[in-house]
Amino acid sequence: SSEGEVAAAGSDESCESGDAVAAAKPSGGYKIPQHVLVSFLKLHEPADPEWKTTHASLIVTDGCPLNNMYRRFKNWIRDDARAFPGLSIEYTPGMDPVLQFQDGTEHPKEYLGVARVDVSEMEIGDVEALLAKRGVAKDPELAAKVEAERKEREERATAEAAE
């Protein structure tokens, strides 16, 4: 991911807090039927259950929805996603998180990839496991660097809070 993507993921715009958004949802909780999601998000997978690719793109909304409903993805994009050299981040306004698996990085705009998987309901550990299962591996050196940066940031925040 590029510095701009990381900056976009790290910016906290003046949005309602996630709690306020959650409180405003109707108590019944309307869930869009899966067949509608499959059609709208153009979800698909190959017939071969053992399919693999070299690259994936996380297609996700930006701004307020990313700061609220999908905060776990925002934090993951800022930190841990950088440990996957075969993963790119694509921001599309209003888009629920979808992983598009592809056989390279250069494709026309209308390319739908080898597979498109809705990950909006998944936990980050499950997303990372799916990436690994499908051939988009985490680089151990990059993962260690990301972890060291996170620890340094946490130590700095703790030291600033103590002052």
Side-chain angles (χ1 to χ4, degrees), residues 75-84 124 128 138-156:
N75 294 337
W76 184 70
I77 290 166
R78 184 190 64 208
D79 291 327
D80 301 314
R82 294 182 296 140
F84 289 86
I124 295 304
E128 289 189 352
K138 182 185 269 191
D139 180 307
E141 288 181 23
L142 288 174
K145 180 180 175 186
V146 166
E147 187 59 32
E149 289 172 359
R150 181 188 357 251
K151 283 183 180 173
E152 182 180 313
R153 191 172 54 243
E154 288 170 356
E155 288 170 1
R156 220 178 15 250

Side-chain angles (χ1 to χ4, degrees), residues 9 12 16-18 21 25 31-32 37 40-41 58-78 91-98 118-124 127:
D12 278 327
E16 295 180 61
S17 75
V21 171
K25 286 185 179 178
K31 181 148 175 69
I32 299 172
L37 279 177
F40 177 73
L41 300 175
L58 175 64
I59 305 168
V60 66
T61 189
D62 55 2
C64 294
L66 189 60
N67 287 334
N68 295 320
M69 294 189 312
Y70 300 120
R71 182 167 292 278
R72 67 188 183 283
F73 283 99
K74 175 185 173 180
N75 294 337
W76 184 70
I77 290 166
R78 184 190 64 208
Y91 294 99
T92 301
M95 184 71 163
D96 287 346
V98 169
D118 177 13
V119 295
S120 63
E121 301 288 322
M122 289 183 161
E123 293 302 320
I124 295 304
V127 172

Side-chain angles (χ1 to χ4, degrees), residues 27 31-32 35 46 49 81 83 110 136 161:
S27 59
K31 181 148 175 69
I32 299 172
H35 72 280
E110 41 305 317
V136 183

